[in-house]
Amino acid sequence: MFFQLFHTHRVPGALVLTAVLALALPGCSKSHKKPAAQPKASATPTPSPSPSPSPPEASANFVANGVAAVDSQDRPAANAVANDVATHVLATLNEFYNIGFLHPSRWGGGSFPDLQGLFTPDARYTVAPNLPTLSLGPVANVLAKVDPTLQHAGIIAVLIEQNQGASYATVSTRFEGKGTPTDKAADPISVGQSAQFMIDVGNGYRIAGYDITTQIDSVAKSASYHPPGTLALEGQR
């Protein structure tokens, strides 16, 4: 079983001024002027080429394989509650993969500073030591971007309480992508992650537990955290 849950945002042209030359010729009472020169047109400045824009960041877009209300009383209204919860769970998953894999602007040189905020206080302390599994880890320092090739979420199971409110949800995910190195001579890097997440619904849809295996090219790393004291609620593929 996956988890055990105890129920308790005119430039003017440069004017060439003509010198007026008064010619005093002997026996002549008239002075002669040189015609004024026409102003020269200024050269049109050549605009500097605009720098090439950075390629847009890909964004996560997970879609669930289904939603299941886990309700001991099997009440019809529980389905609507579960469907609403599933929308928020998917938002948490998308944010997790945007921060950890898809948005270079949030990699923080491999420190992923925004990632901890997605976890409950109990699970948050596990993020730093497990960073190479929860994210790209140090590989982020050699990549320009990651393009997703697979984003799959399993059935989102939602635990419904006696008051018909939701407390927790679990879901499995499979993510694959192609990393483009900053060194243009280097080969692309394959990225993959299989995970099961436990989401604390009442705590802002934060990640309360996880079982994760991440593979970068041929190197795989695994990490787990299960919250203490947890009835059976298993993420389904």
Side-chain angles (χ1 to χ4, degrees):
M1 305 296 287
F2 171 38
F3 287 112
Q4 307 245 332
L5 289 174
F6 285 135
H7 179 262
T8 58
H9 96 72
R10 187 171 46 146
V11 170
L15 286 180
V16 179
L17 298 180
T18 60
V20 178
L21 180 60
L23 297 177
L25 298 180
C28 233
S29 60
K30 258 189 186 177
S31 63
H32 299 270
K33 294 181 181 179
K34 186 177 178 179
Q38 295 299 316
K40 295 180 181 178
S42 61
T44 303
T46 303
S48 301
S50 300
S52 299
S54 300
E57 297 176 325
S59 289
N61 185 26
F62 280 83
V63 177
N65 195 37
V67 179
V70 181
D71 180 19
S72 61
Q73 300 181 49
D74 199 23
R75 293 164 290 189
N79 294 325
V81 175
N83 286 329
D84 179 66
V85 167
T87 301
H88 297 285
V89 169
L90 289 173
T92 295
L93 294 181
N94 288 334
E95 187 73 348
F96 176 85
Y97 285 98
N98 284 337
I99 294 171
F101 295 90
L102 295 176
H103 286 183
S105 61
R106 303 181 76 178
W107 292 350
S111 66
F112 304 91
D114 299 334
L115 201 56
Q116 287 192 357
L118 295 182
F119 291 76
T120 62
D122 287 343
R124 196 169 296 160
Y125 79 92
T126 71
V127 173
N130 292 330
L131 206 54
T133 302
L134 297 173
S135 67
L136 291 170
V139 178
N141 293 316
V142 301
L143 293 180
K145 64 173 182 173
V146 173
D147 293 308
T149 57
L150 176 65
Q151 303 178 77
H152 172 77
I155 295 173
I156 298 175
V158 181
L159 181 62
I160 306 298
E161 302 292 343
Q162 292 296 320
N163 63 0
Q164 296 193 58
S167 54
Y168 290 92
T170 62
V171 61
S172 64
T173 62
R174 177 62 191 169
F175 171 83
E176 294 177 6
K178 182 181 74 172
T180 301
T182 52
D183 180 356
K184 295 182 179 179
D187 293 331
I189 294 175
S190 63
V191 177
Q193 185 183 87
S194 295
Q196 286 184 312
F197 294 99
M198 179 179 180
I199 308 296
D200 188 339
V201 174
N203 197 357
Y205 292 90
R206 288 182 170 85
I207 298 168
Y210 55 85
D211 285 301
I212 294 177
T213 297
T214 300
Q215 184 163 330
I216 309 293
D217 277 344
S218 60
V219 179
K221 298 177 184 292
S222 296
S224 297
Y225 174 72
H226 297 171
T230 63
L231 194 141
L233 182 61
E234 183 177 0
Q236 303 174 62
R237 298 185 181 279

